[in-house]
Each structure stands twice: as C-alpha cells, then as structure tokens.
Amino acid sequence: NAANVAGVSLEECIRQMDAAGIRRGFLVSTKCGPKGPASTYHLPVRLVAEAVQKYPERFSGLAGIDPTEGMAGVREFAKAITEYGFVGAHLYPQWFELAPDHAKYYPFYAKAIELDVPVLMHIGQSMVYAPDYPCRSVGRPITLDAVACDLPELRIVASHIGIPWHDEMIAMAWKHKNIYIGSDAHSPKYWPASFIHYLNTYGQDKVMFGTDYPLLDFDRCMNEIKALNLRPEVLPKFLRDNAARVYKLKI
C-alpha cells in the first residue's frame, strides 16, 4: 500500500510493536541482488546502525550479504558486527541465483563463525521480484545440508518456513543442531499443518517468531498465533527464548 511504499518511521514502527506486545525487532541492511540492475538495491549499513543506536532497547541490526562483493563484502560485514554492534548476517540467495551451498558464501560463513553470529537467509520459493529481474528458486532447504555438514559451528536461521518445501525444511532442522527455522513472511493462519505440529512438539526449540514487516502486520501475526492454541510451554520459546538464545540477546 501507499504507506509501505513511503516507509514507516521508527517511532511509528515502535508504536505498532507496542500495540502487538512485541519488545524487540531486527532491522536489516538489506542487499537485494548485486548492484547495477534497476530492480536491485543495497540499504546502507549506516542507516540501520543509526536506527539501532537511537533505539538500542528496541532494535538489533542484521548485516546484508552480497556474495559478489568477495572479501570487501566480508570486511564490511565484520565491521557491522564489531563496530556497529549488529547481531548477525542476512542473506537472500534467490536475488543472486546462488544456492546457499555455493562457494562464494563460504568466506562470509567463516567470518560469521569467527564473530559468533548467526546467518539468517531466505529459504523457500523465489518470487518474481520485478518484471525485469526474474530469479530462479535456488533456496531449497536441502542445500543447507552441505553447509551444516561442512560448518557445524555456523548457526543458520532459515526464514520463510521453507515453503513450499516446508517438510524438507523440517527435516534439515531436525537433522542439524545448528539449523533453525524463522516463521516470517507467511500468515500464521495459513501455515502448513506439519509445520505447526513441528513447532508445537519436537521442534519447539528450533523455531522462532518473525513477521517480515511490513509484509505482515505485527498485530495480525500475534492474533493469528494466539488462534493456533499452541502449548503454553511452547509460546515463550517461539516468541522470545529461541531467538534470544540463538542470537545471544540479553532481553
């Protein structure tokens, strides 16, 4: 809608978070594809850093990864963590049409291990982000298998539930201790039954809440999650504790 195109102020975002009972959110210095094409963009790290510094109790930063930038990108990522206090990395494999197990990501993965921060990445079906920039769906959950085997110290958060390959995503999170699932970008009332079962039972320590705001409103997500009637012991893990543990947040 027009409001989303124009953007939302930090203060308005916090107001909406408060209304939904959300204490902290992640802000991403997004890197949507390599620089050059009209439909791709990089959000400057400094913009996110300034927002986090203004409201350190409400926001944490995630540093976007562009695998085409090589070691210059690795150094920028490291600076975001060590100088700006970001708490992890963020990756869109589809925007680069490079699956998560591609060699170009490994220098970033190694640096994430060295800095002891997780890498959040979009896993699941690629969208046609713009008519002039269609992207292949390279984010199959099974591609995380090699990464987790090669780098068992790397904490991987696979966002977007892995849909439509959600059962494959569950299998990867079940197999590997270092793979977690983010629930963002899909309305809770439409979550696959197998994912809800996983979240509510043997996967209760491996799934964390997210919205992909402004794609989904905070209040809508919280209301739909309440309607799922998850087990009482699952809710605090899903909504707070799992993310706090994986990202080593003091909240």
Side-chain angles (χ1 to χ4, degrees):
N1 58 42
N4 291 343
V5 172
V8 175
S9 70
L10 295 175
E11 291 72 23
E12 173 59 19
C13 185
I14 291 172
R15 187 196 67 77
Q16 294 182 31
M17 290 167 63
D18 286 342
I22 295 174
R23 181 174 177 182
R24 178 175 291 272
F26 290 156
L27 300 179
V28 184
S29 59
T30 313
K31 293 191 175 183
C32 289
K35 291 180 178 178
S39 297
T40 67
Y41 67 92
H42 288 190
L43 184 68
V45 172
R46 63 175 178 79
L47 291 181
V48 174
E50 289 171 359
V52 172
Q53 289 166 2
K54 186 175 183 180
Y55 294 106
E57 300 302 317
R58 305 308 302 266
F59 298 115
S60 297
L62 300 181
I65 289 176
D66 177 348
T68 70
E69 293 180 328
M71 289 308 298
V74 173
R75 285 188 284 270
E76 181 185 59
F77 162 48
K79 182 177 180 180
I81 304 297
T82 59
E83 295 190 21
Y84 298 136
F86 283 26
V87 299
H90 177 275
L91 169 62
Y92 278 126
Q94 285 89 341
W95 275 104
F96 303 97
E97 295 189 312
L98 296 174
D101 58 358
H102 195 281
K104 287 189 176 182
Y105 295 120
Y106 273 63
F108 294 91
Y109 294 158
K111 181 57 68 173
I113 293 171
E114 179 184 326
L115 297 172
D116 193 26
V117 296
V119 176
L120 170 68
M121 62 182 78
H122 175 183
I123 299 296
Q125 171 64 38
S126 174
M127 304 288 285
V128 179
Y129 297 107
D132 63 332
Y133 201 77
C135 298
R136 293 169 177 81
S137 299
V138 299
R140 286 292 297 262
I142 195 63
T143 61
L144 298 177
D145 195 35
V147 180
C149 286
D150 290 341
L151 303 170
E153 296 177 68
L154 178 66
R155 301 195 298 284
I156 301 168
V157 181
S159 66
H160 296 48
I161 309 177
I163 290 174
W165 306 294
H166 43 278
D167 289 330
E168 188 175 281
M169 186 66 255
I170 291 169
M172 288 296 95
W174 173 81
K175 177 181 179 181
H176 296 287
K177 292 182 179 179
N178 57 323
I179 292 182
Y180 303 85
I181 304 176
S183 71
D184 56 310
H186 291 275
S187 179
K189 70 178 179 179
Y190 298 122
W191 286 349
S194 59
F195 174 68
I196 296 173
H197 175 73
Y198 178 72
L199 161 63
N200 205 31
T201 57
Y202 67 107
Q204 61 186 268
D205 296 318
K206 300 298 292 289
V207 184
M208 58 189 73
F209 168 76
T211 63
D212 209 15
Y213 176 87
L215 179 65
L216 295 174
D217 292 336
F218 302 125
D219 193 56
R220 171 186 175 180
C221 287
M222 292 300 295
N223 287 333
E224 291 183 7
I225 287 169
K226 291 176 183 177
L228 295 177
N229 294 315
L230 298 174
R231 296 175 178 178
E233 67 271 21
V234 170
L235 269 176
K237 293 181 179 182
F238 170 56
L239 294 176
R240 181 191 63 233
D241 298 346
N242 293 341
R245 184 181 73 256
V246 173
Y247 283 91
K248 299 189 174 181
L249 302 175
K250 295 180 180 179
I251 58 175

